[in-house]
Structure formats: C-alpha cells, structure tokens
C-alpha cells in the first residue's frame, strides 16, 4: 500500500500538540496532509490502548483517546482485522475519503498509521513467522461525546 503522503509531513492540527524534544516532535515538518504516525507513538499516547481510554467502538475498530506529553489530545481509531495484501482497500478507501473532508462540522483527519510487522504466530499447531498490519486513523479530539447521542432519538 502506497500513500502519497510524506512521512515527515505533519498537519497543522497535529503539529500544535508537539513538545520540542519529545518523541512525537521528531516527526515534525510542514504540510496540510495527514501525518504518518508510528504505532509505538500511538501505544504511548493511549497508554498501551488502555480500556479506560476507549471513546467508542464499531465494526471497523475501536477509538481511543490519546494524550501527548504537553496535554494535547487526539482520537486514535485502531482498525480491526485488515489482513496483509487481502484488504488494504478498506484502509485506503477510508483514508482517501477522510483526507479530503474539510468542514467546520467534521472532525479533521490529522494522522494515520499503516505498518507491517513480522512476528511469531501459531498456524496449524506450528509456530511460524507472520506479517500483521497495524492500522490506525487519527482525528482531532472533540470532547462533546458521541455524535450518536445528538442524532438518535
């Protein structure tokens, strides 16, 4: 999967959360496109995807609240079950749809993660090396709660 977004490019919304010298500041550059964010950083800012940080979940994934060292907040949507090479189109479709949305009433896509990682796995009773995808979409954090409570009922 090739996304035509420079790895070092940070959106203005994400750039505002960075502390000089912090792990996330190493990503800093310029640009208006969503930024590629390492999975390790997402683990760090969500406290290793702590259940207490869950904002919501659905069929595509779980959304966590991420908090940077300076107190800046971000919503991190970890996408579920995207097999390597079989359905990268799910991620790419959602990414491309969201990256073009710019409106005052829509949360902005500020970053993404799409990393392949090799590691041990069990297959038919044998330990093998497998590749798994770590995929996430990161949005500006809005503290007003779920849209569901405003549009339902």
């Amino acid at each position: 999967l090739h996304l035509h977004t420079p790895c070092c490019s940070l959106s203005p919304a994400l750039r505002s959360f960075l502390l000089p010298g912090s792990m996330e500041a190493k990503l800093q550059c310029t640009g208006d496109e969503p930024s590629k964010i390492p999975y390790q950083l997402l683990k760090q800012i969500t406290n290793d995807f702590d259940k207490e940080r869950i904002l919501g979940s659905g069929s595509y994934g779980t959304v966590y609240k991420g908090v940077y060292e300076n107190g800046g907040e971000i919503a991190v949507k970890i996408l579920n079950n995207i097999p390597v090479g079989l359905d990268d189109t799910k991620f790419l479709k959602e990414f491309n749809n969201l990256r073009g949305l710019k409106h005052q009433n829509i949360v902005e896509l500020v970053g993404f993660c799409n990393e392949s990682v090799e590691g041990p796995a069990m297959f038919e009773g044998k330990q093998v090396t497998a590749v798994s995808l770590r995929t996430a979409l990161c949005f500006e954090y809005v503290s007003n709660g779920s849209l569901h409570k405003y549009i339902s009922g």
Side-chain angles (χ1 to χ4, degrees):
L1 175 65
H2 297 286
L3 302 174
H4 301 288
T5 301
C7 289
C8 66
S9 174
L10 289 184
S11 68
L14 185 57
R15 201 175 315 120
S16 67
F17 294 122
L18 304 180
L19 286 177
S22 66
M23 179 179 169
E24 57 266 19
K26 293 175 185 171
L27 304 169
Q28 193 165 0
C29 268
T30 60
D32 292 328
E33 287 290 312
S35 305
K36 187 168 185 178
I37 303 173
Y39 186 78
Q40 281 303 110
L41 177 56
L42 297 179
K43 279 182 68 170
Q44 177 185 332
I45 66 173
T46 60
N47 199 22
D48 202 13
F49 306 107
D50 187 341
K51 290 180 182 180
E52 296 293 318
R53 296 275 182 102
I54 293 177
L55 298 172
S57 61
S59 59
Y60 280 108
T62 303
V63 181
Y64 296 86
K65 181 178 180 179
V67 181
Y68 288 105
E69 290 176 4
N70 71 350
E73 299 170 323
I74 190 169
V76 179
K77 181 178 184 181
I78 300 296
L79 302 175
N80 292 336
N81 304 324
I82 300 180
V84 175
L86 296 178
D87 205 2
D88 285 346
T89 55
K90 266 189 204 176
F91 174 78
L92 189 56
K93 183 179 178 180
E94 186 162 2
F95 176 81
N96 283 325
N97 286 337
L98 293 169
R99 76 191 282 194
L101 294 176
K102 304 288 183 208
H103 189 273
Q104 64 184 11
N105 295 329
I106 299 174
V107 292
E108 182 182 351
L109 177 69
V110 295
F112 68 95
C113 176
N114 191 37
E115 296 178 0
S116 299
V117 179
E118 285 190 23
M122 294 301 290
F123 179 73
E124 296 181 355
K126 296 179 182 176
Q127 186 157 354
V128 297
T129 300
V131 176
S132 63
L133 277 181
R134 294 177 173 172
T135 54
L137 297 170
C138 303
F139 301 90
E140 64 180 320
Y141 177 77
V142 179
S143 61
N144 294 343
S146 172
L147 181 60
H148 178 69
K149 74 179 181 182
Y150 295 101
I151 62 174
S152 63

